[in-house]
Amino acid sequence: MKNREVKRSLFSKGSRLLVFAVAFGAAGLQSCKKKPATSEPVESATEANENISALLEQAQYLLDNVEKMSSSHVKTEIDRLRKAAGGNEEVEAILKQVEAKLGAKESINQAKMLVDNFENYDLDYVKEETEKLRNSSYAEVQTYVNQLDKMIAAREQRAVDARPLKVRLNDYMLSIANADSPAAADGYVNKALELFASPSVDVLIIIGIFDGEKDFDKPTTISQYLDYLKLQKKAPYRIENIEQDANGKIRLLELKK
């Protein structure tokens, strides 16, 4: 009987010890899982000011040396500094100056390249790029644009002059007859007259051929005939024959219905 009581007593003590050990172990395990939070280093006001000061120096250096750097490098540096500055107004103000200076540099370089390589480019491409530069606020760019306008006009005129004389004259006469306004017609009249030795060159209109001989209407001058086209707004006659002088100018024009 006494032995049973002893065993019961030991068992009760053992149970309490076992429960205590399990609880202690769980608490220890729980404490191992909980790691103390590490605090991030907080940037001091002095460090922040020093960082902005460094960024300002770098931005100013970029502004002072835009002309010496490639456009791609400048753009990369602008992005880096803008991100690092986090919206700082002083840094942003300098970066905007850098962007404006870079824009001027790129526009000037593009305009200069078009002038220097003008004959190697397709004329339509040159016209398109010139139009993009036309609204630039930079005086140097506008100087190049004016130069390009003259070069384009000269190149177009060369293309016109390279066409056969008969084709050029016929186009002018059709343009006079179909002009949208008297002023436009007068412009084509003046261009057509440049092909002739003088405004009084004879224009003969063939009304028939008899026994191999041409029969002409009453002669008129090229100046009178071109005015007729302007007033009538039609070109009823086609070019039959052109005679030129030693300078390549038209000295006689024959037309036929």
Side-chain angles (χ1 to χ4, degrees), residues 9-257:
S9 175
L10 288 174
F11 180 76
S12 297
K13 289 180 181 179
S15 298
R16 287 199 295 272
L17 287 172
L18 178 61
V19 170
F20 178 76
V22 170
F24 180 79
L29 182 62
Q30 196 69 11
S31 66
C32 288
K33 288 183 178 178
K34 289 184 180 178
K35 295 184 179 179
T38 57
S39 58
E40 295 291 333
V42 178
E43 186 179 41
S44 68
T46 302
E47 290 174 330
N49 289 336
E50 289 177 352
N51 183 46
I52 292 299
S53 179
L55 293 175
L56 284 169
E57 288 182 7
Q58 294 173 47
Q60 186 61 48
Y61 178 82
L62 196 62
L63 178 62
D64 295 339
N65 294 275
V66 169
E67 299 295 338
K68 302 175 184 177
M69 302 177 182
S70 69
S71 294
S72 60
H73 177 69
V74 173
K75 290 176 182 177
T76 299
E77 284 298 287
I78 289 173
D79 291 341
R80 180 184 68 80
L81 292 172
R82 181 165 280 148
K83 183 177 180 181
N88 180 271
E89 292 182 0
E90 291 180 280
V91 175
E92 182 62 25
I94 297 177
L95 292 181
K96 286 189 179 299
Q97 293 181 59
V98 174
E99 288 176 327
K101 199 170 182 179
L102 178 62
K105 172 187 171 182
E106 291 183 329
S107 295
I108 292 170
N109 287 345
Q110 173 68 359
K112 185 177 185 301
M113 183 174 66
L114 289 173
V115 169
D116 292 344
N117 299 280
F118 181 77
E119 296 297 338
N120 296 326
Y121 289 128
D122 179 79
L123 188 57
D124 288 338
Y125 169 76
V126 176
K127 286 182 177 181
E128 182 180 339
E129 291 302 305
T130 300
E131 286 306 312
K132 290 179 183 178
L133 296 169
R134 193 173 300 285
N135 295 325
S136 172
S137 60
Y138 304 109
E140 190 172 351
V141 174
Q142 289 305 316
T143 299
Y144 280 116
V145 168
N146 293 336
Q147 186 177 351
L148 284 165
D149 284 339
K150 294 176 182 177
M151 295 171 74
I152 289 170
R155 185 165 163 183
E156 287 180 328
Q157 189 59 50
R158 289 200 307 271
V160 170
D161 294 343
R163 295 179 304 164
L165 182 59
K166 184 175 180 179
V167 173
R168 283 184 281 157
L169 178 57
N170 187 66
D171 284 350
Y172 285 139
M173 291 194 298
L174 289 174
S175 296
I176 293 167
N178 297 313
D180 295 331
S181 67
D186 287 339
Y188 291 122
V189 166
N190 292 333
K191 287 183 177 296
L193 287 174
E194 292 176 2
L195 304 178
F196 291 81
S198 78
S200 59
V201 164
D202 285 335
V203 176
L204 304 178
I205 300 174
I206 302 171
I207 58 176
I209 299 177
F210 304 96
D211 296 329
E213 295 291 330
K214 296 175 183 177
D215 190 15
F216 299 102
D217 198 353
K218 181 181 177 180
T220 186
T221 66
I222 185 57
S223 180
Q224 293 170 333
Y225 181 71
L226 296 178
D227 282 340
Y228 165 81
L229 297 180
K230 183 174 70 172
L231 293 172
Q232 296 298 316
K233 295 187 177 299
K234 60 181 180 179
Y237 305 109
R238 61 180 176 81
I239 299 172
E240 178 69 14
N241 182 50
I242 292 177
E243 292 186 11
Q244 297 173 256
D245 62 16
N247 296 318
K249 298 291 186 178
I250 300 174
R251 65 181 183 87
L252 178 68
L253 176 64
E254 293 182 4
L255 302 175
K256 184 178 180 182
K257 281 189 176 181

